Amino acid sequence: MAVNVETLDKLERKLTLELPLEAIQKEVDTRLKRLQRQVRMDGFRPGKVPLSVVAQRYGYSVQYEVINDQVGRAFADAVAQAQLRVAGQPRISEKEGAPEGVLAFEAVFEVFPEVQLGDLSALELEKLEASVDDAAIDRTLEILRKQRRTFTPRPEGEPAQDGDRVTIDFEGKIDGEPFEGGKASDFSFVIGEGQMLPEFENAVRGMKAGESKTFPLAFPEDYQGREVAGKTADFLVTVKKIEQQQLPEVDEAFIKSLGIEAGTLEALRDDIRRNLEREVKFRLLARNKTAALDALAKAAQLDLPKAAIEAEIDRLIEGARQDLRQRGLKDADKAPIPRELFQQQAERRVRLGLVVAELIKANDLRATAEQVDAHLRELASSYEQPEEVVRWYRANPERMAEIEAIVLENNVADFIFGKAKVTPKAITFAELMGQD
C-alpha cells in the first residue's frame, strides 16, 4: 500500500489511514465469540450466553478496542514503510468523507530531525584542572573535628562569638505586625556557620546570656519566604544560653574512630588525600563533560520536536513532584507547577540527547564492558564494603544501565576534547568544591 505523507511544518507530518469496515467487523466478531466463552450473566450457564446478548452488552467497547488496535497497527506499518522516526505520540482523528466501506483517520505527528554536527575541530574548550593540596586536607580534617564536637556552657558574663551555639527567643514584626515564621522560643544555632541571615548573626554576636536587643533586618529580594522578601522587619531577640564548642584532639582514639586502624596522623591524612583525589577526579570529569557536551550541542544545527520537549517537561514535573513527596509535602500531586519553569531545561535535554546520539552513531562510540566494570569499581571504592556495592549495582539492570550511560557520556566527552582546541585551566580545590 502506498503511503502518502504530507509535510505540515519543519518536523510535523500528516498521513491518512484507511481501514476496511469488513476487516474491522470480522475482528469484532472474533473477539465477541472469544468473550462469549468467558462471560457470565444471570440466567445463563457459563459459556452459554447467546452471542446477540454478548454483542448487545459488549459490542461497542469491543469495536472501540478493535479500531484502536487496527489504527495503531496501520500507523506503525505506514511510518515503517515511509522510514519515518516518530517523535512523541501522534494525534489521530477520524476523517470525514471516506469512501464507502472504509473508515479513514488522519494522523498528525512529528518526526525526529536530521542533525548536522558542527566542526569539532573548530570548538574552543577550557579543560579544568585541580589538585589536592595540604590546605584542602587541613580543611577536611577540621570538618571531621566539627562533626564530632561537643558544647559546654560559656563562662558567665562572656559574650557570644563565632563558633558558639546560642539558644534564643526571638520575635519579628513588619510595620508592627507579626508574620508567619517570625517567632520562635528556645531556638538554637551556631554563630558564623550561615544558618541565619548575616544581619541576624551580627546582632547576636557579642550579646551575653540574659540580654535582649531589638534590631532591624532587611530580607533579601530573593528570600525564600515570599511574603517577607524585600521587606524590613524589627526583631526582638533574647539570648538564653551560650555554649562554646569543644573540638576533639586529633589523637590516636579520634583517628581510630574514623576507621584508620594505624591511628596515626600520617595515615589519616593519606586517607583524606585519597578520598579527596577521588572526589576531585569525579567533579572535574563532570564539569569538563558538561562543558564539552554543551559546546557540541551549541555547534550543531537541528530543529527540536515539540512533542519531545513536552514529554521531557512532563518528566521534569513528575521529578519535582516526587521531590516534594519525599520532603513530606501534602497533596504534592496537586501542587501547581508551571510548565514554563522547565521549558529551557527540557529544550537543553532534548537538544543534547539528539546531538549526542548522532555523534555516537556517526563515530561508533560505545561503552565497553571493561570500561563499565572499571567505572563501577572506582565508584564502589569509596564505600566501606566495595564488593557489596558492586553486587548491588549488578543485581539491577536499571542501575547498571545508569553506569553504562555515564561511561558512554565520558567517552563522548573524551572524543570531543580529542578533536577540539583545548586550553588547560587550573582552578583551586576550593573553587572546584564550591567553597569560595
Side-chain angles (χ1 to χ4, degrees):
M1 179 183 71
V3 178
N4 182 28
V5 180
E6 182 181 348
T7 298
L8 302 181
D9 198 0
K10 292 179 180 178
L11 300 178
E12 196 171 47
R13 305 287 185 270
K14 181 174 74 173
L15 58 80
T16 299
L17 308 170
E18 294 185 348
L19 304 177
L21 284 173
E22 183 180 352
I24 293 174
Q25 189 57 52
K26 183 177 180 181
E27 179 63 21
V28 169
D29 293 342
T30 299
R31 295 193 187 188
L32 286 174
K33 289 176 183 177
R34 189 183 306 137
L35 187 61
Q36 181 188 21
R37 296 194 294 267
Q38 304 168 356
V39 74
R40 293 175 180 271
M41 288 188 186
D42 293 340
F44 298 98
R45 288 182 296 163
K48 299 298 182 180
V49 182
L51 185 61
S52 60
V53 176
V54 175
Q56 185 177 8
R57 175 169 292 189
Y58 298 104
Y60 178 79
S61 60
V62 170
Q63 184 182 53
Y64 180 80
E65 181 183 274
V66 168
I67 291 175
N68 271 354
D69 289 349
Q70 294 205 3
V71 167
R73 192 177 304 117
F75 178 76
D77 292 343
V79 295
Q81 185 176 337
Q83 297 183 329
L84 298 175
R85 295 171 57 233
V86 178
Q89 293 295 320
R91 303 189 305 276
I92 298 178
S93 58
E94 189 171 351
K95 182 180 180 181
E96 297 181 357
E100 187 176 349
V102 171
L103 270 182
F105 296 86
E106 286 184 338
V108 178
F109 56 97
E110 285 186 296
V111 295
F112 283 109
E114 290 186 9
V115 179
Q116 295 181 5
L117 296 173
D119 180 6
L120 299 188
S121 64
L123 296 181
E124 296 183 1
L125 291 172
E126 288 184 337
K127 192 169 188 178
L128 301 182
E129 298 176 349
S131 60
V132 177
D133 54 17
D134 287 339
I137 297 173
D138 293 340
R139 186 167 183 166
T140 303
L141 186 52
E142 285 304 299
I143 292 173
L144 293 172
R145 293 178 72 198
K146 279 189 175 182
Q147 289 173 347
R148 289 158 179 79
R149 65 187 169 184
T150 57
F151 289 91
T152 59
R154 181 166 285 284
E156 187 176 352
E158 290 190 4
Q161 54 189 272
D162 282 349
D164 285 352
R165 183 170 67 187
V166 293
T167 301
I168 62 173
D169 292 343
F170 68 84
E171 181 177 13
K173 294 182 179 180
I174 297 177
D175 297 330
E177 296 295 328
F179 57 91
E180 186 178 354
K183 182 178 180 179
S185 298
D186 294 325
F187 180 82
S188 296
F189 72 96
V190 177
I191 298 176
E193 295 193 351
Q195 295 169 259
M196 309 294 285
L197 290 172
E199 293 90 341
F200 200 104
E201 289 196 346
N202 290 337
V204 174
R205 188 183 290 109
M207 292 182 67
K208 299 176 183 178
E211 284 187 343
S212 296
K213 176 192 287 187
T214 300
F215 62 94
L217 187 149
F219 287 100
E221 293 289 344
D222 59 351
Y223 189 69
Q224 59 186 0
R226 296 180 181 176
E227 293 182 1
V228 301
K231 298 180 180 179
T232 298
D234 292 312
F235 274 91
L236 171 63
V237 62
T238 299
V239 177
K240 303 175 75 173
K241 184 168 59 175
I242 304 174
E243 299 168 289
Q244 56 187 349
Q245 65 176 344
Q246 304 292 331
L247 297 176
E249 294 294 327
V250 185
D251 54 18
E252 184 178 0
F254 172 78
I255 295 171
K256 285 189 173 182
S257 73
L258 297 172
I260 310 300
E261 291 301 320
T264 65
L265 179 57
E266 181 182 6
L268 174 59
R269 292 181 69 87
D270 286 344
D271 184 71
I272 292 173
R273 182 181 293 277
R274 283 193 298 272
N275 287 327
L276 291 182
E277 287 176 344
R278 185 184 303 112
E279 180 68 15
V280 164
K281 178 180 178 180
F282 279 121
R283 291 205 179 206
L284 285 174
L285 188 62
R287 288 183 59 172
N288 287 328
K289 178 167 62 178
T290 297
L293 295 181
D294 283 347
L296 172 71
K298 186 177 180 180
Q301 294 183 9
L302 71 157
D303 295 312
L304 299 182
K306 297 173 185 176
I309 294 172
E310 291 302 313
E312 187 60 37
I313 291 176
D314 289 338
R315 280 190 286 271
L316 290 169
I317 289 178
E318 179 52 36
R321 293 194 189 282
Q322 179 64 28
D323 182 61
L324 292 175
R325 285 193 288 268
Q326 291 176 350
R327 293 171 183 266
L329 180 69
K330 294 182 180 179
D331 298 325
D333 293 336
K334 300 178 183 178
I337 302 179
R339 297 182 68 81
E340 57 267 22
L341 290 178
F342 300 98
Q343 182 73 29
Q344 286 188 336
Q345 186 179 0
E347 289 178 2
R348 178 187 179 275
R349 286 192 175 191
V350 171
R351 183 181 185 86
L352 198 55
L354 293 172
V355 173
V356 168
E358 182 64 25
L359 184 72
I360 291 171
K361 174 184 171 184
N363 297 279
D364 194 25
L365 302 177
R366 60 190 178 87
T368 66
E370 293 77 14
Q371 287 177 317
V372 172
D373 183 69
H375 184 83
L376 175 56
R377 292 192 175 280
E378 185 171 19
L379 183 67
S381 65
S382 61
Y383 294 86
E384 291 185 4
Q385 295 179 309
E387 288 304 321
E388 286 296 321
V389 175
V390 170
R391 278 193 287 271
W392 181 79
Y393 270 99
R394 292 197 184 283
N396 187 302
E398 290 185 4
R399 289 194 285 263
M400 286 303 298
E402 290 175 2
I403 296 293
E404 185 174 350
I406 292 172
V407 173
L408 184 55
E409 284 187 351
N410 293 344
N411 288 351
V412 169
D414 288 343
F415 183 84
I416 296 169
F417 275 114
K419 298 288 185 180
K421 301 171 185 175
V422 180
T423 302
K425 181 182 178 181
I427 61 173
T428 66
F429 175 84
E431 287 174 323
L432 179 63
M433 307 300 285
Q435 296 171 342
D436 279 359

